[in-house]
Amino acid sequence: MEELLIFGWLAWIFPLLGALLTPLLAKVGDRVRDYGAIFFSFLSVVSTVALASYLFKGHVDWPLHDSFVWLSVEGSPILNKINAGILVDPLSIIMSNVVSIIAFLIMVYSLGYMKGEEGLTRYWFFMNLFIGNMLLLVLSDNLIQMLFGWEGVGLCSYALIGFYYKDSREGWKRYWVGEGDEAYPPSHAGLKAFIMTRFGDLLLFVGAFIILTFAGTLNFVELQNGAISRVPVWALLPAIIFFFGGPIGKSAQLPLMEWLPDAMAGPTTVSALIHAATMVKAGVYLVARMFPILYATKLASDSSTLLLMFYFIAWVGGLTSFVAGTQAMVSRELKKVLAYSTVSQIGYMMMALGIAGLSVEFITGYVGSIFHLMSHALFKAALFLAAGSVIHATGSRFMYDMGGLKKYMPITFWCMALASCSLAGVPILSGFWSKDMILEASLSSGEYMLFLLALSTVIVTSFYTFRMIGLVFYGESAGESHEHHLHEAPAIMWAPYAILVAGTVVLGVGGYFVRDWLIGSFEYLMISLHGEYISNIAEESFIAFLSTMCVAIGFVPAYIFYIKRLKSPDLSSKLFSSKLWTFLAKRWYINKIYYNLFVYPTIAISGWLYENFESKVVDGLNYYIASLAKQFSSKIRRIQTGDFNDNLTLFLLGIFVAVIILRFIILGVS
Amino acid sequence: MIAFSLLQIIIVPIFMAIVIMLFGKILGQKCGWLSFASLLYVTCIILDEIVNLPSIGYSLLESYSWAPLVGNFTLLLDGVSGIIALTITLLSLAISLYSIKYMEHEESFDLYNVLYLLYYSGMVGTVLSTNLAIFFLFFELMLIPSWILIGVWGTGEREKVALKYFLFTEAGAVIMLAGIGGAYMITGSFDLFVIAERAAFMSKNILYPIAVLILIGFFVKMAIFPLHNWLPDAHAEAPTPISALLSPAMIGIGGYAAIRILYTSFPTVAFDNNFTFILTLLSVITMAYGGIMAFAQDDIKRLLAYSSISQMGYMLFGIASASIIGLTGSLIIYVSHGLSKAALFMISGVFMHNLKTRKISELGGLAPKMPLTAISTLVSFLGLAGVPPLVGFWGEFFIFSGAMYRSFNPIDYLKLVTVIVGILVSILTAGYGLWTVRRIFYGEPNEKYRDVRDPEWEMLIPIVAMTVLAIILGIYPAPLTSILSHIIKNLF
Amino acid sequence: MYTILLFFIFLIACLSIYCIVTKRNMIKTVLGVEILTASINLNFIIVGVRDGYVDALAQTFAIISIAIGACIAALALALIVNVYRHYGKVDWDVVRRLKW
């Protein structure tokens, strides 16, 4: 049973090793370095697949884990011993497989996409470092070790978003992100990502420390086994809300979502790997990891205050998915549409986890979220990689520079179209099954507001997805494309995303069975948390019907304006009133608010404080004291007149005083 | 076991200083290597003793009878002072190597080395001594060479800045002396442990003012908020190798001394709730203030100086938490700040030496030309911000969890809010750090830096060594924490 | 009678101090110092008076003091002669360097 656990360690050690070896391999030769990096990524795939064999063994005593003492602080009531360990259970196995397989495919794709770029050593180093850290995050058995992975992926994300750090203005159309007064160079985008996620992490710290103070440990296994019950309810609720700040930041939910669209300044492979398939899912993973612990606490305590935790998670997810979806509807950049879409879909996952906590039938929401995580990773990575081919071919990231590519890039077109259908939730593809599970969970738990919100997001999703397909592949070619010879991407580039699309189709066709298999894998949770699963065919069909209707509702305008171009696409922007369009285009002004509330004031206050307070008041105080000393001394100096008679006077006076002291004070008055 | 090892640590550099003073003119630039050699020797002694520590119960006490009135000349090497002394020695070692190259065009290099070695002896003597009078002696010994070093080899208005530094710190030292005198008055001894025994029975009302007086001296040294004003000028205008020692090594000694003296001799004051709350508040203000000021700086050395103020706020935050893990954390912050800030100051020295500028606005786009420097800068700033896998993460993690723990036992909502604010304020460190990296290294390359390369090996090796050490300790901090915690547990 | 004598000594001392403190002529200052010395000597002698005899120690002190007073006067006058030779005046202003 335990023999395969070593792969839990190896899964993340191999890529980290690969990252360290990359500079050395680069000295040997470029090809050695490239293939070496991919090789280590492949080794991690092997390790995670080995772990996956557990899923098929049947009746495993979850969770399996292995640990050793990392460091110890003697005598301390908290954090006495901190262990490093790995935790293998269905959640981590599924997630780690998703990460490693998609990462490997993206590494292969990078061979073609990044060919000829400078700084490739740095690229491979950070990619492998990222994969290692992500797997470390997924497979950790305690929060502290997970934080190493968590912050590590944040660091790699920072470095890779700012990969084109030269910020050159000529490459604006390819390398920057945004336009107008929201145009950001890559290094700025990287900084923004890091700072926003770091702020989320600090909130996470606060929550974690509150839990730590009472529970004495941050080990997931120990927490699940009852340590969490030592935390009193009045402390647990704020603790979890703070704690949730970390996933909000890392998974780009409201209100910390603004870094993800700007993270598109990085190379497309980075966007695919980090910002679509893996890192942004880390927040969902953490919430899913904490879910059994929190659910058990909710069951144990009778108060309904703990329900607030789950409401919070659910509403944040639901609102985010809607808001981000609306922002995607008007976006002019290809990758930004996909970025907003990612935020929106992750919102679904969070919402599902939150809803799961509110009902007895939590398994639907929980498994729905994980299923959606899997299928989203597949189709979103495929979409990003295909988008990379498109951007590579046209040399621009703006959709108005594309158009009519269907006849030049057929394979890419079909892949992207299928993946988009999966994203929108067209039946028989995997996105449909996972999204429906989420909708089902929200309906059966009685959260009708969220259900309606989710349904309207389906409409929005469908609209922006098909708008994107229409703008890129249909219509007439835009002017710029004449300079590039438009041709299909090389095989090394389309093969990975074709595989991913095939995966999404397979998952979709077998969707019903996949769903049941997943629910079976998590049976142990149902047993320990007293959940139940009732399969209601009528309800499921009703939801399937509703969601397909919503897809169709979204599809129709997109078809008219963008695919068949029956009316000019520009007219669509007049369809919304221009104020609404600007509101959405300016990202509901959230971005502007953040800059005006946090960034500029900090610099302004700092400058003002420095000039007026530090230099004038504090420093002034010092010089004032010094000048006081000077003034005092110049006044006292007047005693020394230089006139001999005055000297003698003082001399005699001094003797007189000394005699008095001697007689009366030292010898005593008698 | 080496005979008289602790005494050797202090005496050997002084001896070498005398040698250099006598033969300096003959040796010329080579005296730098002499001081490097002596520091290397001292490093080996300390490492040897620290490695042996677990087997002798974690504390090595050497006592020499000196002046009966003052008490014995006692030197103590236990987990806490050992780690601090080791950090100081390592930093001094690295920076002496760095100075050889950096000061190559300066005159009176032999005098520089003499003062450098005396400065080092002062620092390490402060850390190792347990007798308050001896402590004060070394405290002053630390002060005078650094004053001369700033005044002679510094930049800008160096004499004025040196004088300001001297007077400010001296005023603090005098206040501390008043406190020491008060301690002597009520307990009749200068020795820390004897004071601890005798003060245990005294009421808090007497101990409070004495502890506060002594602490004020330390706060001046640590540059805690109202008393911080000497630091930006001193660090900015000091010669870079001395800044690299002043900032990480010396100001942290204030924190070490606060831990040692406060928790050994005045435990009733240290654990008092009001006292810890005031210290927590003060430390959060310092953290925030240092961080905000750092944003407004264009001069890179001033920016690093304000960053040091902020980091000392972190250290005080850990001290104020009055918990084992908080104290362990603040000492880890000392180590991590020491490593990172020394590296950063050395890097700013590279800019001053090779690129002849220290204004951030004149730098830009340097990453392709100086890759190793860029990586080291990034890693060091991340270490300050507390990002894993650097050792600064452990420091921040521990101080925050210690402070949070203390604000729940007993429950104190005001302190809890202060602690939460303190945790959130640490975003500023990440902010100015990464923003500075971006302004210096990213962006369009500037034409006038076309020929710039990574610095020479004498300057590069110390920088890289510090960075690598920070990473290694971050991944495997067990030796650090186990040594520290064994001693700290005894303080409770 | 004892007290009257002490009172007179006090009077002489005050007069001599007035002279020292006020006079601009160096020789007059020295004279004042001499008068002060004389009053102190008188003080010693008067203090030594006992009922029927005189305390020898007091008179010894007086004699020593007179001798020392003479030395002081001699030294002071020598310095003043030197000043006169250098500056041509015996006013205190000529040796003053620190101005108001």
Side-chain angles (χ1 to χ4, degrees):
Chain A
M1 199 38 65
E2 311 275 311
E3 353 37 91
L4 290 176
L5 275 184
I6 186 77
F7 283 110
W9 296 100
L10 287 176
W12 51 270
I13 292 183
F14 277 136
L16 289 179
L17 199 59
L20 284 175
L21 286 177
T22 308
L24 294 172
L25 289 177
K27 291 267 189 288
V28 175
D30 280 354
R31 305 211 88 187
V32 175
R33 170 196 67 192
D34 294 349
Y35 291 135
I38 299 187
F39 172 66
F40 280 102
S41 158
F42 180 68
L43 284 178
S44 76
V45 174
V46 167
S47 314
T48 54
V49 167
L51 283 178
S53 64
Y54 275 124
L55 279 180
F56 299 100
K57 269 197 186 150
H59 287 298
V60 182
D61 183 24
W62 302 115
L64 302 170
H65 72 118
D66 180 33
S67 64
F68 66 91
V69 178
W70 194 3
L71 58 105
S72 65
V73 181
E74 298 284 327
S76 168
I78 53 172
L79 288 182
N80 195 347
K81 275 199 186 336
I82 301 179
N83 291 338
I86 52 157
L87 180 64
V88 173
D89 69 356
L91 178 62
S92 63
I93 294 180
I94 293 178
M95 184 89 186
S96 59
N97 273 299
V98 165
V99 169
S100 65
I101 295 177
I102 294 188
F104 174 67
L105 288 172
I106 294 180
M107 295 283 261
V108 170
Y109 175 90
S110 312
L111 272 181
Y113 185 78
M114 302 289 286
K115 191 195 291 223
E117 298 273 359
E118 52 175 305
L120 272 183
T121 314
R122 189 165 39 104
Y123 176 79
W124 292 118
F125 174 76
F126 278 114
M127 290 293 267
N128 260 325
L129 193 65
F130 173 83
I131 298 175
N133 274 316
M134 187 71 204
L135 288 171
L136 174 63
L137 194 163
V138 167
L139 289 166
S140 295
D141 77 338
N142 64 62
L143 187 65
I144 301 180
Q145 186 181 339
M146 191 176 173
L147 277 174
F148 268 70
W150 183 277
E151 302 271 2
V153 296
L155 175 66
C156 296
S157 162
Y158 162 76
L160 284 169
I161 293 175
F163 182 70
Y164 298 115
Y165 61 78
K166 291 237 175 77
D167 292 352
S168 71
R169 295 204 172 254
E170 307 130 23
W172 175 74
K173 277 219 165 166
R174 254 199 89 171
Y175 299 122
W176 286 42
V177 68
E179 51 180 346
D181 65 342
E182 291 201 346
Y184 299 124
S187 55
H188 182 108
L191 185 61
K192 185 169 172 181
F194 193 82
I195 300 289
M196 270 189 158
T197 49
R198 179 89 184 140
F199 189 72
D201 295 345
L202 292 173
L203 293 172
L204 174 68
F205 277 7
V206 173
F209 291 138
I210 298 180
I211 297 179
L212 180 61
T213 307
F214 291 103
T217 174
L218 284 174
N219 189 312
F220 292 126
V221 179
E222 287 176 27
L223 281 177
Q224 191 152 354
N225 286 342
I228 192 81
S229 53
R230 292 183 226 152
V231 186
V233 173
W234 57 266
L236 187 59
L237 183 60
I240 294 297
I241 300 209
F242 271 114
F243 190 89
F244 193 51
I248 288 184
K250 197 62 112 189
S251 296
Q253 303 294 288
L254 279 176
L256 291 174
M257 59 175 273
E258 286 305 324
W259 64 270
L260 191 54
D262 291 326
M264 297 300 117
T268 312
T269 47
V270 169
S271 308
L273 180 60
I274 300 185
H275 306 125
T278 48
M279 183 177 101
V280 291
K281 306 279 177 51
V284 179
Y285 174 77
L286 181 59
V287 177
R289 174 61 72 211
M290 293 293 285
F291 181 83
I293 303 171
L294 297 175
Y295 195 78
T297 323
K298 183 197 91 162
L299 283 183
S301 85
D302 293 319
S303 73
S304 60
T305 8
L306 287 179
L307 281 182
L308 283 175
M309 290 190 301
F310 293 111
Y311 269 113
F312 181 63
I313 299 178
W315 274 99
V316 165
L319 283 174
T320 311
S321 66
F322 183 71
V323 168
T326 54
Q327 292 178 0
M329 288 202 294
V330 299
S331 171
R332 302 198 335 140
E333 289 178 52
L334 178 55
K335 291 212 296 186
K336 269 207 173 172
V337 174
L338 296 175
Y340 287 122
S341 165
T342 308
V343 175
S344 178
Q345 298 303 309
I346 295 178
Y348 267 118
M349 297 176 217
M350 290 289 191
M351 187 177 80
L353 283 173
I355 289 177
L358 294 170
S359 66
V360 176
E361 212 189 308
F362 68 87
I363 197 75
T364 329
Y366 188 76
V367 173
S369 167
I370 296 176
F371 191 10
H372 199 57
L373 192 154
M374 281 169 64
S375 70
H376 175 261
L378 285 176
F379 60 69
K380 195 45 75 59
L383 278 172
F384 264 109
L385 293 182
S389 297
V390 170
I391 295 180
H392 215 185
T394 57
S396 160
R397 56 191 159 94
F398 289 102
M399 290 201 281
Y400 57 72
D401 283 336
M402 304 171 192
L405 291 176
K406 181 173 172 204
K407 48 185 184 289
Y408 297 106
M409 309 177 75
I411 306 181
T412 310
F413 166 68
W414 280 109
C415 289
M416 220 163 161
L418 277 174
S420 306
C421 291
S422 191
L423 167 59
V426 168
I428 305 301
L429 291 170
S430 69
F432 164 73
W433 292 107
S434 53
K435 208 177 277 196
D436 270 17
M437 232 175 145
I438 297 178
L439 289 171
E440 211 184 298
S442 56
L443 187 60
S444 63
S445 72
E447 295 297 324
Y448 297 116
M449 286 287 298
L450 283 171
F451 177 69
L452 286 175
L453 196 58
L455 266 185
S456 26
T457 314
V458 174
I459 302 178
V460 169
T461 309
S462 159
F463 175 71
Y464 68 65
T465 314
F466 292 112
R467 168 180 178 263
M468 174 183 77
I469 296 283
L471 275 177
V472 174
F473 291 106
Y474 287 91
E476 36 193 72
S477 325
E480 305 257 336
S481 53
H482 288 310
E483 292 163 27
H484 298 259
H485 299 288
L486 289 176
H487 55 85
E488 185 54 81
I492 196 158
M493 281 171 66
W494 62 252
Y497 55 81
I499 296 178
L500 288 171
V501 169
T504 200
V505 169
V506 163
L507 264 189
V509 166
Y512 199 75
F513 305 105
V514 172
R515 197 176 72 167
D516 284 342
W517 171 72
L518 273 176
I519 293 184
S521 308
F522 286 100
E523 210 176 307
Y524 75 99
L525 264 187
M526 284 204 282
I527 298 174
S528 67
L529 294 176
H530 313 295
E532 47 188 27
Y533 175 62
I534 314 158
S535 174
N536 188 337
I537 301 285
E539 206 174 75
E540 290 169 26
S541 324
F542 173 59
I543 290 180
F545 171 70
L546 265 185
S547 73
T548 319
M549 284 303 302
C550 291
V551 172
I553 297 175
F555 177 69
V556 166
Y559 186 76
I560 298 176
F561 285 106
Y562 299 105
I563 298 186
K564 278 304 181 198
R565 305 284 172 121
L566 291 179
K567 305 205 179 149
S568 158
D570 294 329
L571 201 59
S572 74
S573 59
K574 292 189 184 55
L575 197 66
F576 307 94
S577 70
S578 73
K579 262 214 160 59
L580 181 60
W581 193 88
T582 324
F583 179 68
L584 293 177
K586 290 276 184 214
R587 312 197 223 166
W588 293 47
Y589 292 110
I590 297 181
N591 199 35
K592 218 179 191 62
I593 294 177
Y594 276 161
Y595 272 88
N596 286 337
L597 199 56
F598 294 117
V599 178
Y600 301 133
T602 308
I603 301 185
I605 290 180
S606 146
W608 181 88
L609 263 185
Y610 180 62
E611 277 168 30
N612 295 317
F613 185 67
E614 175 82 1
S615 302
K616 297 213 178 101
V617 174
V618 181
D619 228 8
L621 194 64
N622 291 332
Y623 288 112
Y624 178 66
I625 294 180
S627 76
L628 270 184
K630 234 181 171 174
Q631 284 169 30
F632 178 69
S633 112
S634 70
K635 295 234 165 56
I636 285 279
R637 189 204 59 83
R638 298 303 182 100
I639 287 185
Q640 302 290 329
T641 59
D643 189 2
F644 181 74
N645 298 88
D646 294 340
N647 284 359
L648 266 180
T649 317
L650 286 172
F651 176 65
L652 291 169
L653 200 63
I655 294 181
F656 184 66
V657 169
V659 165
I660 301 273
I661 292 180
L662 186 67
R663 171 70 180 87
F664 288 110
I665 297 180
I666 296 186
L667 294 179
V669 184
S670 57
Chain B
M1 303 299 271
I2 308 174
F4 300 115
S5 49
L6 295 184
L7 195 59
Q8 275 190 44
I9 296 175
I10 300 182
I11 297 292
V12 166
I14 297 184
F15 176 70
M16 193 55 79
I18 299 178
V19 166
I20 296 182
M21 191 152 64
L22 292 174
F23 299 110
K25 293 286 175 281
I26 314 174
L27 292 170
Q29 291 296 112
K30 300 264 187 313
C31 25
W33 292 104
L34 264 184
S35 61
F36 179 74
S38 64
L39 285 173
L40 193 60
Y41 174 67
V42 170
T43 315
C44 296
I45 298 184
I46 292 191
L47 270 176
D48 179 56
E49 292 299 341
I50 289 187
V51 163
N52 282 332
L53 266 185
S55 54
I56 53 172
Y58 285 98
S59 107
L60 175 67
L61 195 68
E62 278 183 27
S63 195
Y64 306 98
S65 52
W66 205 49
L69 188 64
V70 168
N72 289 335
F73 187 96
T74 324
L75 297 173
L76 171 69
L77 184 80
D78 64 3
V80 173
S81 61
I83 296 289
I84 307 278
L86 183 62
T87 313
I88 295 177
T89 316
L90 275 176
L91 286 179
S92 307
L93 185 68
I95 292 172
S96 73
L97 180 60
Y98 180 85
S99 315
I100 296 176
K101 188 68 185 167
Y102 187 81
M103 308 283 287
E104 58 187 354
H105 302 301
E106 302 276 353
E107 45 192 61
S108 313
F109 190 52
D110 50 335
L111 185 60
Y112 173 88
N113 274 302
V114 168
L115 292 168
Y116 187 88
L117 287 171
L118 283 176
Y119 183 48
Y120 167 74
S121 301
M123 281 198 281
V124 89
T126 316
V127 168
L128 291 177
S129 62
T130 57
N131 185 316
L132 278 179
I134 307 294
F135 173 84
F136 186 75
L137 175 85
F138 281 113
F139 202 81
E140 298 289 341
L141 183 58
M142 222 165 42
L143 184 53
I144 297 178
S146 51
W147 167 54
I148 305 180
L149 283 167
I150 298 180
V152 176
W153 286 275
T155 58
E157 292 181 317
R158 51 186 187 239
E159 288 104 5
K160 180 166 130 189
V161 163
L163 199 59
K164 181 174 174 186
Y165 158 70
F166 180 79
L167 287 175
F168 221 116
T169 325
E170 183 66 19
V174 164
I175 297 179
M176 183 175 79
L177 187 60
I180 294 179
Y184 181 73
M185 216 162 65
I186 58 172
T187 56
S189 160
F190 282 113
D191 189 278
L192 274 181
F193 299 112
V194 175
I195 295 181
E197 284 171 41
R198 296 184 192 166
F201 307 111
M202 306 202 181
S203 87
K204 259 191 236 180
N205 294 329
I206 308 182
L207 291 179
Y208 237 111
I210 295 179
V212 167
L213 280 178
I214 297 185
L215 270 186
I216 289 185
F218 296 143
F219 286 172
V220 169
K221 190 63 114 183
M222 274 170 85
I224 302 300
F225 172 61
L227 307 166
H228 65 282
N229 194 249
W230 60 273
L231 198 145
D233 289 319
H235 284 132
E237 308 298 348
T240 312
I242 299 304
S243 295
L245 264 189
L246 266 180
S247 177
M250 193 180 76
I251 59 182
I253 290 183
Y256 158 77
I259 294 180
R260 174 67 81 197
I261 293 178
L262 205 59
Y263 281 92
T264 311
S265 308
F266 304 109
T268 41
V269 173
F271 288 104
D272 181 53
N273 276 334
N274 292 332
F275 190 69
T276 50
F277 174 66
I278 294 178
L279 284 186
T280 314
L281 190 62
L282 211 52
S283 65
V284 170
I285 296 178
T286 311
M287 278 157 71
Y289 189 76
I292 291 193
M293 283 297 134
F295 273 100
Q297 303 304 321
D298 187 36
D299 180 350
I300 190 171
K301 283 176 77 170
R302 272 188 101 90
L303 187 145
L304 293 175
Y306 278 109
S307 160
S308 296
I309 296 180
S310 184
Q311 293 294 313
M312 284 301 116
Y314 282 82
M315 202 165 169
L316 186 62
F317 193 74
I319 297 175
S321 74
S323 60
I324 296 182
I325 202 152
L327 289 183
T328 315
S330 66
L331 289 167
I332 298 182
I333 291 242
Y334 178 82
V335 173
S336 100
H337 172 246
L339 292 173
S340 304
K341 199 45 79 61
L344 283 171
F345 266 112
M346 287 198 268
I347 291 172
S348 75
V350 166
F351 291 138
M352 286 171 67
H353 192 248
N354 291 354
L355 282 81
K356 310 279 182 283
T357 178
R358 53 197 256 196
K359 287 191 173 309
I360 298 180
S361 49
E362 291 176 16
L363 298 166
L366 289 173
K369 309 269 187 317
M370 315 173 83
L372 279 176
T373 316
I375 295 174
S376 306
T377 317
L378 182 62
V379 170
S380 301
F381 269 121
L382 288 176
L384 288 180
V387 172
L390 297 158
V391 67
F393 166 73
W394 291 109
E396 286 198 7
F397 197 79
F398 282 174
I399 59 175
F400 291 148
S401 49
M404 184 72 81
Y405 176 74
R406 184 52 79 192
S407 46
F408 277 106
N409 300 310
I411 183 98
D412 181 349
Y413 287 111
L414 213 50
K415 195 189 271 194
L416 185 61
V417 168
T418 317
V419 167
I420 294 183
V421 169
I423 295 180
L424 295 179
V425 153
S426 50
I427 187 77
L428 289 172
T429 318
Y432 67 70
L434 288 179
W435 190 44
T436 309
V437 168
R438 178 169 173 247
R439 284 183 291 169
I440 297 181
F441 291 108
Y442 300 152
E444 315 245 3
N446 204 330
E447 246 323 284
K448 77 178 141 145
Y449 299 127
R450 218 173 346 139
D451 303 319
V452 162
R453 273 171 298 113
D454 259 330
E456 297 84 351
W457 69 271
E458 290 103 336
M459 292 212 257
L460 193 58
I461 297 226
I463 298 177
V464 171
M466 299 282 122
T467 324
V468 167
L469 198 57
I471 298 181
I472 294 180
L473 276 178
I475 300 180
Y476 188 58
L480 199 61
T481 56
S482 61
I483 294 184
L484 284 174
S485 53
H486 273 290
I487 294 307
I488 294 185
K489 151 178 87 168
N490 291 336
L491 289 176
F492 278 68
Chain C
M1 164 138 141
Y2 196 58
T3 16
I4 294 178
L5 287 172
L6 283 179
F7 170 70
F8 273 114
I9 291 175
F10 178 67
L11 193 59
I12 298 177
C14 287
L15 286 174
S16 68
I17 287 181
Y18 169 76
C19 169
I20 293 175
V21 163
T22 321
K23 296 301 172 195
R24 302 207 65 86
N25 195 324
M26 288 184 192
I27 301 182
K28 291 184 186 171
T29 315
V30 173
L31 281 174
V33 171
E34 283 307 304
I35 298 175
L36 185 57
T37 319
S39 76
I40 300 300
N41 294 335
L42 265 177
N43 190 26
F44 273 125
I45 296 170
I46 289 178
V47 157
V49 170
R50 301 273 179 266
D51 193 16
Y53 65 97
V54 178
D55 190 352
L57 190 59
Q59 306 228 321
T60 320
F61 272 133
I63 294 179
I64 296 177
S65 177
I66 292 171
I68 293 177
C71 299
I72 291 176
L75 185 59
L77 286 172
L79 288 172
I80 291 173
V81 165
N82 225 351
V83 166
Y84 179 70
R85 283 205 188 130
H86 200 259
Y87 290 102
K89 291 198 281 192
V90 281
D91 197 317
W92 279 115
D93 274 336
V94 301
V95 293
R96 181 181 178 178
R97 291 291 175 265
L98 178 61
K99 299 294 181 213
W100 179 249

